[in-house]
């Protein structure tokens, strides 16, 4: 062995020895380790904030285009899920549910990966047992919420229960769809894990009660699919492989799960209806309005079970309800208000205090015919009213708090919604800009001389309601609209106590099991909060009417029509309806108004096709999944 | 840099872009579709075409061979029972009418090459027969008989009206419907009335409209069977 070889050997030995030392086992400096994040409460907070921000919460930023639609310039006309149901129509478009609408696929699996990374490291973290349990519970809640968002859209989906490891072979990462039943059962079992591990405090992050609420909603959804699926049968591979559809026999167990999850919340004593016993309908209406304007103020938190906050204005932070849906008169310079038009169909659904527990469509004529939508008829004997809103006098307080009715005050302005007038000679001028002067007074078809002074029926800019109703629920009355994108910061209650009561009542009445007396009390408590004094019976019809009006515009109606398979019968070349207030100049010098029930003008009829009960799964060509029926 | 070289450079760049454009045309374009499929749904008993819906009606599912997974293509059918897609790629397809208004038939393998004709000889769920639609006073009255070829009950019978000749369950201005929920009684005359007065804003007096009678069987995903539309001035 010569000197050179010895030198090389020595050098190698040194290198190897060094290599054995920990010197080269550096912690990477471009990323954080699990313990660095989750070992520190602040780190957990940051990671959790990211997960919560991805949750599929259908709040003010949930639009036709999907979740968190509050990026820079979210210019979609304000089209949201209420506008494809019978709650509302858009002022410019009658479009129904399109194949690409309300999707949540890739984002869903991104969230799933982020939460699975957390689930994987929980056992290794150096934290207390209590902290570990709450992380287990919280991550289970987030996964349950996310899979609920997927299963109600797509049916059975691939269940990624732990994070996947990429080893160079993309094929090995592909997971086939589970059946719809397996997916629902997985959602419910994740809820149980969350319930078991989460504390019973209330608050903004997931709690035991939020997990019970999710279970109540999800189990009711699954039960309804099992019970009503046969109303819209489908066929194809996805059906034969049970990737979509639930057996009828499964309904009773799911209803049972919904009942017990709801009861757990009802018996906890942690929640109650906000201001449950108002003295009169006016007080009830104001209470109900306040509850949604700001669920944090005035003690409204007693009803909130899980709330999504919008604390900061700006892109990816604020929302756009106040600009899109403000009456034209209070748009404050924003050029495109008035998009959400609550329908006459919804207004009809509210009970009348004079006729409790009955459907009471708004009567406009002496012959009580509420099925004539043919427009103004000079020979018809219309009921004459003294004000533009006297016709709603006996209607449920929640109609007044959900919609801006003609001639009511909003932000210190009288909101004028008028479709035209009937001239003294009996000729009506409707939805045309015109005026006439009689005895020195000028009368305008739209109730005022120019577009900044009224909010109804003029087609100008799509800014005026076409149905005769403006939008009020959730709108902030306290401050003027800031005429720019993403400037609203009101919070949204994803779960509130009233929904739990309604879930409970529905599960009891549909299954014929459970405590029927408590269920009747549940709906009557909600009605009492709306100033109803006469109790009504627990029937399917009463529960559904109550649910429709109490939860209006909370993005629940869409899923109610889906899970009860009512969408395709409700929307088959169907027009939504408007109530046109007309100033009746035949009555001069008295000021009188008449009302005409019509098809919503210039809005196409809508049809819901049965394939839309499940969304199309994107990317079949690459992910190799079985597509849903008829796509 | 002298001006001359600058111009030369620009010319070269231009040449490069042009050659690239032509090059990519050669490489990337596949031949267009050269084949097609057309035909008619024919009643096995009467040999007449079976009336259909153009919107949300019977569809024909095509699964092209050689793709896995394969995205199905769906052809729609005209109201008169005929269909055509003249722009298909020549290949072997699995062809099956789905969600129709006739007794289900199995899928078949079809070589589609050139303009291929494929008729489906099927048995409609219901035959709407001896239809008479006429205006009586302020009403349009339809009378007809029903003959059904399966045991299932009839869910509903309908009289549709529209200004367009392609009217049906998915396309109507006005509909009058009766829920039946029992099997049709042979030789019974069924009647549906449409009141014109209460629809005066949609069906305007003095104008011509199409009217069509339909009957829907209670079979999952079934589409209605129809009598041909008739035009009337009201």
């Amino acid at each position: 062995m010569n000197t050179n070889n010895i030198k090389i050997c020595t050098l190698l030995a040194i290198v190897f020895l060094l290599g054995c030392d920990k010197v080269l086992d550096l912690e990477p400096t471009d990323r954080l380790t699990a313990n660095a994040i989750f070992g520190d409460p602040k780190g957990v907070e940051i990671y959790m904030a990211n997960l919560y921000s991805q949750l599929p919460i259908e709040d003010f930023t949930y639009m036709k285009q999907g979740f968190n639609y509050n990026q820079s310039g979210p210019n979609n006309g304000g089209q949201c899920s209420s506008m494809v149901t019978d709650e509302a129509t858009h002022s410019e478009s009658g479009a129904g549910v399109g194949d690409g609408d309300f999707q949540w696929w890739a984002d869903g699996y991104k969230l799933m990966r982020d939460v699975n990374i957390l689930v994987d490291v929980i056992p290794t973290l150096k934290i207390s047992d209590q902290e570990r349990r709450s992380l287990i519970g919280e991550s289970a809640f987030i996964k349950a919420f996310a899979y609920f968002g997927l299963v109600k859209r797509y049916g059975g989906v691939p269940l990624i229960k732990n994070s996947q490891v990429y080893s160079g072979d993309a094929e090995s990462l592909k997971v086939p769809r589970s059946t719809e039943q397996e997916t629902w059962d997985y959602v419910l079992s994740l809820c149980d894990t969350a319930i078991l591990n989460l504390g019973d405090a209330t608050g903004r992050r997931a709690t035991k009660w939020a997990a019970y609420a999710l279970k109540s909603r999800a189990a009711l959804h699954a039960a309804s699919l099992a019970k009503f699926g046969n109303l819209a049968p489908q066929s194809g591979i996805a059906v034969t492989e049970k990737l979509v559809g639930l057996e009828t026999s499964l309904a009773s167990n799911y209803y049972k799960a919904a009942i017990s999850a709801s009861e757990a919340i009802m018996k906890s004593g942690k929640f109650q209806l906000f201001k449950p016993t108002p003295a009169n309908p006016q007080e009830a209406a104001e209470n109900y309005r306040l509850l949604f304007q700001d669920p944090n103020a005035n003690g409204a938190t007693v009803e909130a079970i899980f709330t999504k906050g919008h604390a900061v204005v700006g892109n990816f932070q604020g929302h756009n309800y106040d600009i899109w849906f403000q009456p034209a008169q209070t748009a404050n310079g924003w050029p495109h208000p008035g998009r959400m038009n609550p329908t006459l169909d919804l207004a009809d659904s509210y009970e009348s205090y004079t006729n409790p527990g009955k459907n009471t469509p708004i009567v406009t004529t002496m012959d009580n015919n509420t099925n004539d939508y043919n427009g103004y008829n000079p020979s018809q004997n219309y009921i004459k009213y003294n004000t533009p809103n006297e016709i709603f006098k006996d209607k449920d307080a929640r109609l007044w708090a959900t919609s801006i009715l003609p001639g009511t005050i909003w932000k210190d302005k009288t909101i004028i919604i008028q479709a035209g007038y009937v001239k003294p000679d009996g000729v009506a001028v409707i939805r045309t800009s015109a005026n006439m002067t009689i005895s020195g007074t000028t009368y305008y078809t739209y109730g005022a001389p120019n577009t900044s002074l009224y909010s109804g029926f003029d087609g100008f800019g799509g800014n005026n309601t076409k149905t005769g109703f403006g939008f009020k629920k959730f709108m902030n009355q306290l401050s003027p609209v800031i005429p720019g994108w993403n400037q609203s910061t009101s919070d949204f209650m994803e779960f509130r106590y009233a929904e739990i009561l309604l879930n409970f009542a529905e599960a009891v009445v549909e299954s014929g099991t459970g405590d029927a007396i408590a269920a009747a009390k549940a709906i009557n408590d909600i009605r009492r909060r709306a100033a109803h004094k006469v109790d009504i019976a627990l029937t399917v019809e009463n529960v559904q009417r109550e649910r429709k009006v109490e939860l209006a515009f909370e993005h629940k109606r869409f899923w109610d029509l889906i899970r009860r398979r009512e969408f395709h019968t409700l929307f088959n070349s169907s027009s939504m309806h408007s109530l046109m207030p007309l100033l009746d100049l035949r009555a001069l010098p008295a000021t009188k108004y008449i009302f005409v029930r019509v098809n919503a003008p210039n809005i196409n009829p809508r049809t819901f096709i049965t394939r839309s009960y499940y969304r199309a799964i994107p990317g079949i060509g690459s992910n190799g999944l079985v597509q849903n029926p008829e796509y | 840099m002298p001006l001359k070289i600058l111009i030369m450079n620009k010319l070269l760049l231009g040449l490069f872009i042009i050659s690239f454009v032509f090059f990519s045309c050669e490489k990337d374009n596949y031949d267009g579709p050269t084949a097609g499929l057309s035909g008619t749904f024919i009643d096995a008993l009467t040999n007449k075409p079976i009336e259909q819906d153009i919107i949300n009606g019977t569809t024909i599912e095509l699964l092209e061979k050689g793709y896995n997974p394969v995205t199905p293509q769906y052809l729609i059918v005209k109201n008169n029972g005929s269909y055509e897609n003249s722009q298909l790629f020549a290949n072997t397809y699995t062809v099956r009418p789905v969600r129709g208004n006739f007794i289900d038939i199995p899928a078949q393998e079809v070589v589609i090459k050139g303009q291929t004709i494929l008729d489906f000889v099927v048995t409609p769920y219901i035959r709407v027969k001896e239809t008479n639609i006429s205006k009586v006073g302020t009403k349009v009255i339809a009378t007809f008989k029903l003959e059904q070829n399966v045991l299932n009950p009839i869910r509903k019978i309908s009289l549709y009206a529209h200004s367009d000749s392609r009217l049906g369950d998915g396309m109507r201005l006005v509909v009058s419907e009766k829920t039946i929920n029992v099997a049709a009684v042979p030789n019974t005359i069924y009647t549906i009335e449409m009141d014109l007065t209460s629809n005066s804003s949609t069906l305007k007096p003095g104008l011509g409209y199409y009217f069509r009678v339909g009957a829907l069987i209670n079979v999952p995903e079934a589409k209605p069977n129809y009598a041909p539309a008739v035009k009337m001035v009201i």
Side-chain angles (χ1 to χ4, degrees):
Chain A
M1 196 182 274
N2 63 28
T3 354
N4 270 351
N5 278 354
I6 292 169
K7 274 182 187 164
I8 289 169
C9 281
T10 317
L11 196 66
L12 280 176
I14 291 168
V15 169
F16 280 124
L17 282 173
L18 271 178
C20 291
D21 199 350
K22 294 283 181 203
V23 172
L24 288 183
D25 290 350
L26 291 173
E27 291 282 338
T29 52
D30 62 340
R31 67 195 71 175
L32 292 164
T33 61
N35 260 315
I37 298 174
F38 299 111
D40 174 359
K42 281 283 168 210
V44 174
E45 246 173 51
I46 291 169
Y47 198 84
M48 283 299 177
N50 174 34
L51 297 183
Y52 280 106
S53 74
Q54 295 180 63
L55 272 192
I57 293 176
E58 298 175 7
D59 74 334
F60 311 117
T61 61
Y62 175 61
M63 295 282 167
K64 241 184 177 176
Q65 290 74 8
F67 289 97
N68 296 323
Y69 197 75
N70 58 351
Q71 74 283 15
S72 165
N75 193 353
N76 71 334
Q79 294 192 58
C80 65
S81 93
S82 293
M83 296 168 186
V84 300
T85 71
D86 53 351
E87 287 178 339
T89 185
H90 190 272
S91 63
E92 293 177 304
S93 143
V97 185
D99 289 349
D101 297 339
F102 308 111
Q103 288 273 357
W104 193 61
W105 181 262
D107 285 344
Y109 281 99
K110 274 181 209 160
L111 169 57
M112 226 61 87
R113 175 159 182 85
D114 284 356
V115 69
N116 277 335
I117 287 171
L118 168 62
V119 170
D120 287 348
V121 301
I122 290 173
T124 69
L125 294 176
K126 299 176 190 103
I127 50 176
S128 74
D129 274 1
Q130 200 196 339
E131 286 168 331
R132 197 183 313 277
R133 280 190 61 184
S134 66
L135 275 187
I136 289 170
E138 214 168 349
S139 54
F141 173 82
I142 290 168
K143 271 174 93 163
F145 200 101
Y147 274 111
F148 175 57
L150 288 171
V151 67
K152 68 180 179 175
R153 287 180 172 76
Y154 304 102
V157 294
L159 301 178
I160 316 290
K161 298 186 176 181
N162 293 95
S163 61
Q164 295 179 302
V165 180
Y166 179 57
S167 55
D169 175 23
E171 285 303 310
S172 69
L173 298 178
K174 292 184 179 176
V175 177
R177 296 174 68 179
S178 290
T179 65
E180 176 151 11
Q181 188 194 342
E182 285 163 355
T183 310
W184 282 108
D185 289 345
Y186 186 51
V187 170
L188 298 186
S189 76
L190 285 166
C191 287
D192 289 337
T193 307
I195 291 164
L196 191 70
N197 287 287
L198 284 168
D200 67 353
T202 56
R204 280 305 179 89
R205 277 166 64 176
T207 62
K208 189 188 285 290
W209 313 113
Y212 271 123
L214 175 58
K215 191 177 180 190
S216 157
R217 186 189 286 173
L220 181 68
H221 196 122
S224 314
L225 292 177
K227 182 168 180 180
F228 300 109
N230 285 339
L231 295 178
Q234 294 185 298
S235 60
I237 306 170
V239 176
T240 48
E241 293 186 2
K242 299 184 188 297
L243 306 180
V244 297
L246 294 173
E247 303 281 342
T248 315
S249 61
L250 296 171
S252 63
N253 267 338
Y254 287 134
Y255 278 125
K256 219 172 275 174
I259 289 171
S260 62
S262 309
E263 272 177 336
I265 296 172
M266 291 158 66
K267 288 174 178 165
S268 72
K270 299 263 181 186
F271 304 94
Q272 63 182 77
L273 294 173
F274 171 59
K275 303 203 173 174
T277 50
N280 54 52
Q282 290 72 30
E283 199 182 308
E286 181 60 6
N287 293 345
Y288 187 79
R289 191 189 69 76
L290 286 172
L291 175 62
F292 301 102
Q293 175 174 278
D294 185 355
N296 309 306
N298 314 303
T301 45
V302 293
E303 184 158 344
I305 298 173
F306 189 63
T307 302
K308 177 171 175 177
H310 288 277
V312 189
V313 301
N315 298 342
F316 305 103
Q317 302 283 356
H319 67 83
N320 297 296
Y321 261 41
D322 289 291
I323 52 172
W324 285 128
F325 304 148
Q326 199 73 211
Q329 283 167 265
T330 53
N332 198 28
W334 174 255
H336 315 292
R339 264 56 187 167
M340 179 92 89
N341 302 172
T343 59
L344 172 58
D345 312 73
L346 176 66
D348 279 345
S349 303
Y350 291 88
E351 276 177 79
S352 166
Y353 293 111
T354 57
N355 200 5
K358 294 286 178 330
N359 284 337
T360 42
I362 291 164
V363 176
T364 58
T365 56
M366 298 302 273
D367 66 3
N368 285 334
N369 182 357
T370 53
N371 292 314
D372 181 352
Y373 295 106
N374 288 301
Y376 175 75
N377 173 2
S379 61
Q380 179 60 261
N381 201 355
Y382 291 98
I383 302 171
K384 291 184 166 57
Y385 292 94
N386 293 318
T387 72
N389 54 54
E390 192 189 3
I391 192 169
F392 311 108
K393 184 167 58 80
D394 295 322
K395 275 277 187 183
D396 192 305
R398 290 168 291 185
L399 170 64
W400 294 75
T402 302
S403 304
I404 294 179
L405 301 175
T408 57
I409 308 285
W410 174 251
K411 292 189 175 178
D412 302 325
K413 278 190 178 149
T414 301
I415 302 302
I416 295 174
I417 298 172
Q418 185 179 309
Y421 51 50
V422 183
K423 294 197 279 194
D425 63 3
V427 176
V429 184
I430 297 172
R431 295 203 306 115
T432 308
S433 188
N435 64 75
M436 74 184 303
T437 303
I438 302 168
S439 314
T441 308
T442 306
Y443 300 94
Y444 299 90
T445 45
Y446 294 126
N450 69 59
T451 52
S452 62
L453 298 174
Y454 55 77
S455 302
F457 292 100
D458 187 350
F460 173 76
N463 294 354
N464 298 290
T465 176
K466 283 190 162 165
T467 58
F469 301 91
F471 185 62
K472 188 190 268 187
K473 191 170 175 179
F474 299 114
M475 302 288 279
N476 188 343
Q477 196 178 30
L478 302 174
S479 52
V481 174
I482 303 164
W485 297 118
N486 306 320
Q487 299 296 311
S488 295
T489 54
S490 33
D491 289 359
F492 179 83
M493 286 179 283
E494 174 60 24
F495 292 108
R496 63 184 179 100
Y497 189 54
E499 184 201 340
I500 303 306
L501 295 178
L502 288 162
N503 291 351
F504 175 72
E506 180 174 339
V508 168
V509 76
E510 294 291 352
S511 69
T513 61
D515 188 342
I517 293 166
K521 182 176 183 306
I523 58 166
N524 283 313
D525 282 353
I526 297 172
R527 291 175 67 257
R528 176 67 190 87
R529 191 255 295 268
H532 288 276
K533 300 278 169 68
V534 181
D535 283 357
I536 58 174
L538 180 77
T539 63
V540 169
E541 195 194 6
N542 282 344
V543 171
Q544 289 307 314
R545 185 199 308 108
E546 191 52 31
R547 187 175 174 92
K548 183 179 177 187
V549 300
E550 174 67 23
L551 303 179
F553 298 103
E554 295 177 39
H555 300 304
K556 304 298 182 287
R557 180 74 180 153
F558 180 89
W559 296 110
D560 291 348
L561 296 177
I562 294 270
R563 68 187 169 83
R564 297 176 65 85
R565 293 293 190 256
E566 290 172 357
F567 236 133
H568 70 294
T569 37
L570 189 60
F571 289 103
N572 186 356
S573 301
S574 309
S575 287
M576 290 291 97
H577 299 109
S578 300
L579 187 66
M580 298 195 306
L582 302 180
L583 180 62
D584 192 350
L585 300 174
R586 292 172 298 186
L588 285 175
T591 309
K592 296 283 181 187
Y593 294 86
I594 61 170
F595 294 83
V596 186
R597 299 172 64 97
V598 290
N599 292 333
N602 298 355
I603 296 287
N604 288 333
R606 287 186 228 151
T607 295
F608 182 95
I609 45 181
T610 48
R611 73 158 178 253
S612 300
Y613 280 121
Y614 293 99
R615 313 273 77 216
I617 293 182
I620 293 299
S622 56
N623 62 25
L625 297 176
V626 176
Q627 184 56 282
N628 279 331
E630 298 183 58
Y631 287 108
Chain B
M1 198 184 284
L3 187 66
K4 211 172 171 183
I5 292 175
L6 202 69
I7 291 171
M8 280 293 283
N9 277 349
K10 281 203 171 167
L11 276 175
L12 275 173
L13 183 69
L15 265 175
F16 180 74
I17 290 171
I18 289 166
S19 60
F20 181 76
V21 167
F22 278 92
F23 184 72
S24 44
C25 285
E26 279 291 315
K27 262 301 194 204
D28 296 350
N29 273 6
Y30 290 95
D31 289 334
T34 54
L37 187 69
S38 62
T40 307
F41 286 87
I42 294 170
D43 186 333
L45 184 74
T46 65
N47 271 330
K48 286 185 180 157
I50 299 174
E51 291 266 319
Q52 302 288 346
D53 270 314
I54 196 163
I55 294 180
N56 301 338
T58 302
T59 48
I60 304 163
E61 184 184 77
L62 300 185
L63 302 174
E64 191 173 356
K65 293 288 176 190
Y67 296 91
N68 187 26
V70 56
T71 302
Q73 299 178 60
Y74 294 104
L75 310 188
I76 60 166
V77 184
K78 290 186 194 171
N79 277 28
N80 65 9
S82 71
Y83 72 95
E84 178 175 13
N85 183 340
S86 60
Q87 300 280 306
L88 289 167
F89 288 99
N91 201 342
T92 307
Y93 292 79
T94 307
V95 179
R96 183 178 168 224
V98 287
R99 293 177 279 278
N101 59 0
F102 42 83
I103 296 171
D104 214 12
I105 56 168
Q108 44 188 305
E109 303 284 297
V110 180
V111 178
I112 299 178
K113 197 182 167 194
Q115 296 301 322
T116 308
I117 292 176
L118 176 65
D119 290 336
F120 298 99
V121 179
V122 294
T123 305
Y125 288 129
I126 307 168
R127 291 190 188 94
V128 183
K129 298 167 72 171
E130 298 173 41
T131 311
N132 181 10
I133 303 177
S134 56
K135 191 186 165 199
V136 182
T138 60
K139 286 176 176 163
V140 170
I141 297 177
T143 58
F144 50 94
K145 290 181 181 173
L146 298 174
E147 174 184 302
Q148 64 179 86
N149 300 310
V150 287
L151 295 173
N152 305 46
I154 289 180
R155 199 188 284 174
K156 63 173 185 180
I157 52 175
S158 316
L159 174 61
Y160 304 98
H162 201 288
S163 51
D164 192 292
S165 65
R166 289 155 290 192
L167 75 171
D169 196 58
M171 179 162 166
R172 74 273 185 112
L173 290 174
V174 176
V175 60
S176 292
E177 289 189 322
K178 273 187 192 170
T179 309
I180 304 288
N181 284 335
V182 290
V185 183
N187 286 318
T188 302
I189 296 176
Y190 291 87
T191 308
I192 313 181
E193 295 182 354
M194 184 180 288
D195 181 33
L196 295 174
T197 322
S198 64
N199 291 295
S200 60
S201 67
T202 21
L203 304 178
K204 298 196 172 72
L207 297 182
Y209 291 94
Y210 291 89
F211 295 87
R212 196 182 188 200
V213 170
L216 178 63
I217 199 82
N218 193 349
V219 169
E221 297 187 290
K223 305 298 182 195
N225 290 94
Y226 293 99
V230 293
K231 191 175 188 183
M232 271 194 315
V233 174
I234 58 165

